[in-house]
Amino acid sequence: MAAQVDVVATRRAWAEVDLGAIRHNAGLLAALAAPASLCAVVKAGAYGHGSVAVARAALEGGASWLAVALVTEGETLRRHGIDAPVLLLSEPPVEAMDDVVALSLTPTLYTAQGVEAAAKAVAAAAAPPLAVHVKVDTGMHRVGASADGAVAVAKAVAERPELVFGGLWTHFAVADEPANPFTDEQCARFDAVVERLASLGLRPPLVHACNSAGALAMPGAHHDMVRCGIALYGVAPSPALAAVELVAGLRPALSLRARVSYVKKVPAGQAVSYGLRRPLAQAATVATVPVGYADGVPWRLGVTGGEVLIGGRRRPIAGSVTMDQILVDCGDDDRVLPGDEVVLIGRQGGEQVTAWDWATKVDTIAYEVLCGIGPRVPKIYG
Ligand SMILES: *Cc1c(COP(=O)(O)O)cnc(C)c1O
């Protein structure tokens, strides 16, 4: 049999994930939140960074909780020996509750069926009482019980000997728009539920509301814990929040890099890539880079003026992004050679391309750019 293929050397494209940056960002966010705790949100493969390595680094940096979207994501953490508390951000399907119990995940609940299923799963496993968090919908209308519904669910949880009322939480819809008063409205609705439950003698140990944007912009809403995803990765939740001083202290953890695979001269007037969209004004050195939309480089970047760094200079993507490769216009630069490093996201020399640069060019958000960096891109941890 052939020796194992070197995935980075043969792939010539990779993502570098700086775990020191994750630890640093977790430390800053934990200090910002204190005395509240930090929950590191590592759903979707830690926003494309790799959930296991990021979870470990975040815990080392100061996070005490982890959060994921899916039971399978929690399972991945447990399988790698991570025993920190893991919050599931939506109510798991009834059929998943046995796994939730077996994996000691902390489910979020907001329906009577959810409470029933969780209690049954604990009883069936003869497991110790399971802490659960109850989610209140205060206006985003994605998941969660109404105020009345949440009180009923919390009471049902408190009545079940198999369950412990471990937390109450909500989620903000517009915390990334610091001037939008709706977040205050959500806070007021949430506080009212906290108080109603307190008057019934139900005060869970963890009350929480803030995502990254809330943690950064709403210090009065930290309660007992903040749930940070995007800020942990060193990326601002929105361009509006990039100006917050603390955001400037965060370090982007991910860079996307590749090597030039092929170089040729293309005469003036000829166009490159599918569609032959834009004829070159001048003869140019055109570099081929083996990374494309299947790896998370948005197709639209080829239309809207995406740039990459080679030799410390910004260079335009020439023509359509293809599935596996892009073409880069290096102008009259004859020094670009196969093997040269290309930075798609990250720093090279004095230049930098950020996930938000891409996002604004293709009319999306940095979250989608990061999550889009696909499994075909090997990750190198440093
Ligand atoms: C994804 C998510 C978060 C993290 O959001 P960021 O904006 O990345 O900090 C927090 N809470 C919930 C419920 C989420 O779904």
Side-chain angles (χ1 to χ4, degrees):
M1 216 172 72
Q4 195 177 352
V5 170
D6 181 330
V7 72
V8 174
T10 59
R11 177 71 181 79
R12 292 184 296 195
W14 66 97
E16 277 174 27
V17 179
D18 178 355
L19 295 175
I22 299 283
R23 280 189 290 270
H24 166 84
N25 298 336
L28 277 190
L29 294 166
L32 171 78
S37 2
L38 172 65
C39 172
V41 179
V42 296
K43 61 191 176 190
Y47 296 33
H49 294 61
S51 66
V52 172
V54 165
R56 287 195 184 119
L59 292 166
E60 284 163 16
S64 47
W65 274 76
L66 302 169
V68 294
L70 306 177
V71 175
T72 50
E73 294 174 339
E75 182 194 20
T76 300
L77 298 173
R78 291 290 185 248
R79 198 165 5 95
H80 288 84
I82 293 171
D83 57 11
V86 175
L87 178 67
L88 293 167
L89 292 167
S90 291
E91 185 173 284
V94 164
E95 314 83 73
M97 286 300 182
D98 290 335
D99 291 328
V100 170
V101 171
L103 294 164
S104 291
L105 305 176
T106 303
T108 291
L109 301 178
Y110 33 81
T111 70
Q113 301 90 293
V115 174
E116 187 63 32
K120 266 196 182 148
V122 172
L130 179 71
V132 304
H133 288 203
V134 175
K135 165 93 195 280
V136 199
D137 175 12
T138 54
M140 175 154 160
H141 305 315
R142 183 169 63 173
V143 295
S146 66
D148 290 346
V151 171
V153 170
K155 278 185 178 162
V157 165
E159 279 162 12
R160 302 295 305 233
E162 300 90 349
L163 304 178
V164 175
F165 182 29
L168 180 79
W169 65 277
T170 193
H171 192 44
F172 295 140
V174 292
D176 59 329
E177 301 168 25
N180 193 321
F182 191 69
T183 308
D184 288 330
E185 176 64 34
Q186 287 195 272
C187 286
R189 292 176 190 171
F190 185 53
D191 291 348
V193 176
V194 173
E195 278 163 33
R196 266 174 76 187
L197 287 170
S199 71
L200 297 169
L202 297 174
R203 179 28 169 118
L206 287 173
V207 171
H208 50 108
C210 288
N211 54 3
S212 295
L216 294 164
M218 308 281 299
H222 286 177
H223 297 281
D224 305 310
M225 184 162 86
V226 298
R227 307 182 306 270
C228 294
I230 198 80
L232 179 68
Y233 306 105
V235 175
S238 61
L241 279 173
V244 173
E245 198 180 331
L246 192 123
V247 176
L250 297 172
R251 280 167 37 196
L254 182 137
S255 63
L256 180 62
R257 292 164 194 272
R259 293 201 181 280
V260 172
S261 59
Y262 188 62
V263 175
K264 89 258 17 168
K265 279 266 182 220
V266 178
Q270 301 221 356
V272 304
S273 194
Y274 289 123
L276 299 176
R277 283 164 202 280
R278 234 181 308 132
L280 294 165
Q282 266 120 40
T285 301
V286 173
T288 305
V289 183
V291 62
Y293 60 76
D295 304 302
V297 181
W299 181 87
R300 281 198 64 73
L301 269 187
V303 183
T304 57
E307 292 173 325
V308 305
L309 308 177
I310 304 176
R313 285 170 54 188
R314 303 181 87 91
R315 325 253 185 183
I317 297 176
S320 301
V321 171
T322 74
M323 188 180 292
D324 316 304
Q325 305 179 81
I326 59 171
L327 302 171
V328 178
D329 182 349
C330 300
D332 60 3
D333 193 340
D334 291 326
R335 291 160 304 173
V336 175
L337 295 171
D340 282 2
E341 189 188 66
V342 183
V343 171
L344 294 108
I345 294 177
R347 284 180 188 283
Q348 193 186 54
E351 289 284 354
Q352 184 180 21
V353 177
T354 67
W356 271 111
D357 288 338
W358 280 20
T360 31
K361 287 229 159 77
V362 304
D363 199 16
T364 182
I365 52 177
Y367 295 77
E368 190 181 42
V369 167
L370 293 174
C371 292
I373 294 171
R376 199 169 73 162
V377 179
K379 310 233 160 30
I380 299 179
Y381 294 98

